[in-house]
Amino acid sequence: MLYTYSLDNRFVRPNKRLDPNYEGQYDLWINGVKVEIKSARAINTKKRGNLVSKALRFGSREPFWMNFQQIKLDIADVFILIGVWVDKIIYWVMSNEEVKKNSYLSHQHRGGIEYQIGITETNLTDFDRYVVEPTKIGDVVLEKGRNNS
């Protein structure tokens, strides 16, 4: 498995030494910025079967859905969403504020504290402004994390 911190060695696993309040609530730490990572596979919404059989190639004309779940808004400064197709991976980096203001954010469960963002073939281009090349993820996370505080 390719960990984000293998893309940029400034990412480290958080711990109580870095953040005295850390209790496993977010995934990575980079120079004081708390990062949560969510991933989802693009699956054909019209096909029945398991995830492997429903997986799509990027650019397919089939309808797809990616559901980034269990987003807890108050635990991280920045969110990295990883979209996976059979032949492509896209990284979206969003500040906490950008996630909170995103029109595709919805409650995951009624009255709960968890949210979700759904990306489909109809709204994919709305997320273009958040796309980041893998080699730039650390810099963009730092920029958004500092501007978010």
Side-chain angles (χ1 to χ4, degrees):
M1 179 173 180
L2 180 66
Y3 293 98
T4 305
Y5 51 78
S6 67
L7 295 174
D8 185 321
N9 63 10
R10 293 176 294 176
F11 285 108
V12 296
R13 288 186 178 169
N15 57 53
K16 287 206 173 268
R17 185 178 48 79
L18 295 170
D19 176 1
N21 298 317
Y22 180 70
E23 294 183 6
Q25 64 271 43
Y26 57 90
D27 297 315
L28 294 173
W29 173 277
I30 181 171
N31 297 340
V33 177
K34 301 171 194 169
V35 182
E36 179 72 0
I37 298 175
K38 299 293 178 186
S39 64
R41 177 180 287 199
I43 58 169
N44 186 329
T45 58
K46 300 296 182 192
K47 188 174 182 182
R48 296 182 75 73
N50 61 34
L51 285 178
V52 173
S53 69
K54 295 166 59 164
L56 292 171
R57 292 189 164 294
F58 185 79
S60 167
R61 293 180 183 230
E62 300 295 324
F64 74 85
W65 182 49
M66 287 187 281
N67 190 22
F68 298 92
Q69 302 180 47
Q70 298 176 326
I71 297 172
K72 296 174 195 83
L73 295 174
D74 296 328
I75 65 163
D77 304 311
V78 176
F79 293 84
I80 299 173
L81 306 181
I82 304 172
V84 180
W85 284 261
V86 170
D87 58 345
K88 185 173 182 121
I89 295 175
I90 294 181
Y91 298 90
W92 295 281
V93 176
M94 301 173 72
S95 71
N96 185 290
E97 268 315 297
E98 289 169 328
V99 170
K100 283 180 181 175
K101 292 178 181 177
N102 191 278
S103 59
Y104 301 104
L105 181 73
S106 63
H107 271 98
Q108 187 166 340
H109 305 287
R110 282 189 214 172
I113 61 166
E114 294 179 347
Y115 293 81
Q116 61 191 357
I117 290 179
I119 297 180
T120 69
E121 75 282 353
T122 61
N123 69 4
L124 179 62
T125 58
D126 294 344
F127 289 84
D128 285 351
R129 65 180 161 219
Y130 307 115
V131 172
V132 176
E133 290 300 317
T135 58
K136 302 290 184 199
I137 291 174
D139 293 333
V140 173
V141 165
L142 285 170
E143 178 185 327
K144 288 184 180 243
R146 289 181 183 134
N147 291 338
N148 198 46
S149 349

